[in-house]
Amino acid sequence: MSLVVYLAAGALALSAAVLFRRPRTTAGKPSALRNPLTVSTCVAIALGAVVFLCSAPMTLAAVNDLTGIPNFGAPLTYGLLSAYSCSLLILLINWRGGPRERVRRLVLRSIAAYGPLIVAIVVLFALADARVERLTDLDTYYANTPYMREMIVLYLLGHSAVMVAMAVVCVRWGREVTGLLRTGLRLIFVGALVDVVGFQLAKYTAVVARWTGHDLDFLSTKVAPPMASLAALICSAGFVLPRLLPAAVGHWRGLRDYRKLDPLWLRVGFVSTAPKPPASWWQLPEERLHWREVAIHDALLALAPYFDDRVRERALSAALGDGRSAHEARVAAEAAMLAAAARRAAAREEPLRTPSTYRLHATEVSGAGGLVELAQALRAPLEVP
């Protein structure tokens, strides 16, 4: 069981790391550390990972040995689970948004509710007699033990309240939104439902069975843990998907355009004087694309004195004669003029006495689209008579 729980913890930690790794210099957007939604999302997912890490039997045994207190891992795990539940509420509050004062008030109320709950869990454990170490069946083994019984019920009720509240909010909010946000809310609802039915109901049933003199421990030890892992992963996907997918699509397009600019960069890169960014393997594709755009525009500016209108006009006539559209012919002609200018610059020839004042299409439009068109035209050069 430890392996399954560790895998869930690793997946959650990776989700938090990926979400936190965002561009910090994007205009008009706060950095990750200043964005309450990003911070609350990362904290909630990271806490979920820590809960799974601490709940693994191997970790519980290590914690008990380290502290010298049998079952010390129980209040630690249950306290962290309550903190995780509180973080989910705070995340949902920040995600839903609204007036700043209202959001702040709701966040403080959540902390005020779950802070005492965590303290109560620790106090109840301290008052209980739990000398026999139980790594997998503590909830059912101590279901009838004074104070331990109350502690177990308390942490379950605290977690149940959050999951039910999340399910209700997701259903209501899902009726008001569309697109990725609705998809994310549906995933969260499914995750909450899996948690309530697969984890909490299994735990409640096993504990109540012990109260009535029956043995359904397998529900608590075999069914509940994997269901909790699955529920947490689905909920995390619901929170992360609406925020990461648009960025992932943007980075994919950035990587695609970056590679499509290779023919243009290989042709003109030697004259660019744009300062190179620090090399880093974790640099995002959009950041690389932005630097390459700047460097190429710098190179085009340096090659402008070599632009020959006669080359462009001959190429334009040839392209139109081949049946290309006006726009395609213009780009092909510009590519031919640019290729000739790059050859003269590479041969260290003198610039033209009367340089062209013509502006390339790629310099008239924003974004990488114009440069990509020019690069693709250079990939298949036009034969100029």
Side-chain angles (χ1 to χ4, degrees):
M1 188 175 71
S2 292
L3 178 60
V4 174
V5 176
Y6 285 147
L7 288 175
L12 291 174
L14 180 61
S15 300
V18 171
L19 181 63
F20 188 76
R21 173 67 179 123
R22 299 176 67 87
R24 300 181 182 179
T25 58
T26 304
K29 293 184 179 180
S31 66
L33 289 175
R34 295 182 181 180
N35 188 331
L37 181 55
T38 300
V39 172
S40 57
T41 305
C42 292
V43 168
I45 296 176
L47 275 175
V50 174
V51 169
F52 284 115
L53 180 66
C54 292
S55 65
M58 290 178 59
T59 306
L60 292 173
V63 169
N64 296 339
D65 291 341
L66 184 64
T67 60
I69 302 175
N71 300 311
F72 183 83
L76 175 64
T77 301
Y78 297 159
L80 286 170
L81 179 61
S82 299
Y84 171 61
S85 300
C86 181
S87 69
L88 289 177
L89 272 182
I90 295 174
L91 169 55
L92 205 59
I93 291 168
N94 282 317
W95 200 16
R96 186 68 188 268
R100 182 175 299 180
E101 285 302 318
R102 178 177 178 275
V103 170
R104 181 174 178 273
R105 184 170 62 253
L106 291 175
V107 168
L108 291 177
R109 285 181 182 177
S110 301
I111 296 173
Y114 279 86
L117 175 64
I118 295 172
V119 173
I121 288 172
V122 176
V123 171
L124 288 170
F125 176 79
L127 295 174
D129 183 6
R131 302 177 185 178
V132 180
E133 183 181 57
R134 311 301 297 184
L135 300 180
T136 59
D137 62 345
L138 183 139
D139 290 346
T140 50
Y141 185 85
Y142 288 107
N144 291 304
T145 303
Y147 300 115
M148 287 293 285
R149 173 182 58 229
E150 288 77 10
M151 182 192 74
I152 293 166
V153 172
L154 197 58
Y155 96 81
L156 285 174
L157 287 176
H159 189 58
S160 298
V162 168
M163 288 300 162
V164 172
M166 283 177 54
V168 171
V169 170
C170 288
V171 170
R172 291 179 178 175
W173 193 11
R175 297 169 181 168
E176 305 171 6
V177 297
T178 58
L180 280 177
L181 182 54
R182 175 181 285 184
T183 302
L185 291 172
R186 288 177 176 174
L187 284 173
I188 297 170
F189 175 78
V190 171
L193 194 63
V194 171
D195 190 283
V196 170
V197 176
F199 173 72
Q200 296 170 36
L201 185 59
K203 285 283 187 180
Y204 284 126
T205 303
V207 170
V208 172
R210 280 288 185 141
W211 292 349
T212 58
H214 299 85
D215 184 352
L216 295 177
D217 290 9
F218 76 95
L219 293 174
S220 178
T221 59
K222 303 296 184 183
V223 176
M227 289 297 100
S229 302
L230 178 61
L233 290 174
I234 295 174
C235 283
S236 298
F239 283 118
V240 170
L241 181 66
R243 306 204 63 217
L244 279 188
L245 188 58
V249 172
H251 292 317
W252 172 255
R253 291 174 178 170
L255 180 61
R256 179 197 61 191
D257 290 343
Y258 180 86
R259 291 176 174 174
K260 285 186 176 181
L261 289 176
D262 281 345
L264 179 56
W265 177 244
L266 292 174
R267 188 67 64 95
V268 305
F270 71 97
V271 297
S272 177
T273 59
K276 293 184 178 180
S280 58
W281 63 268
W282 62 82
Q283 191 177 38
L284 295 174
E286 285 189 333
E287 295 173 348
R288 295 185 181 185
L289 175 63
H290 176 69
W291 176 82
R292 177 160 285 189
E293 286 182 68
V294 171
I296 289 176
H297 279 293
D298 180 76
L300 295 179
L301 186 62
L303 290 174
Y306 292 92
F307 287 169
D308 191 338
D309 286 329
R310 293 170 299 179
V311 173
R312 178 179 56 81
E313 290 169 358
R314 290 197 301 269
L316 180 62
S317 299
L320 291 173
D322 288 344
R324 301 191 188 186
S325 68
H327 178 71
E328 291 175 345
R330 177 185 177 183
V331 175
E334 291 174 353
M337 180 178 67
L338 178 62
R343 285 194 298 269
R344 286 196 295 269
R348 299 184 181 278
E349 297 181 9
E350 291 294 326
L352 298 178
R353 293 183 179 180
T354 56
S356 171
T357 58
Y358 179 82
R359 289 193 62 187
L360 298 176
H361 170 71
T363 63
E364 295 178 343
V365 296
S366 59
L371 293 176
V372 169
E373 285 185 307
L374 187 59
Q376 297 310 299
L378 284 170
R379 186 186 294 273
L382 181 71
E383 293 185 6
V384 182

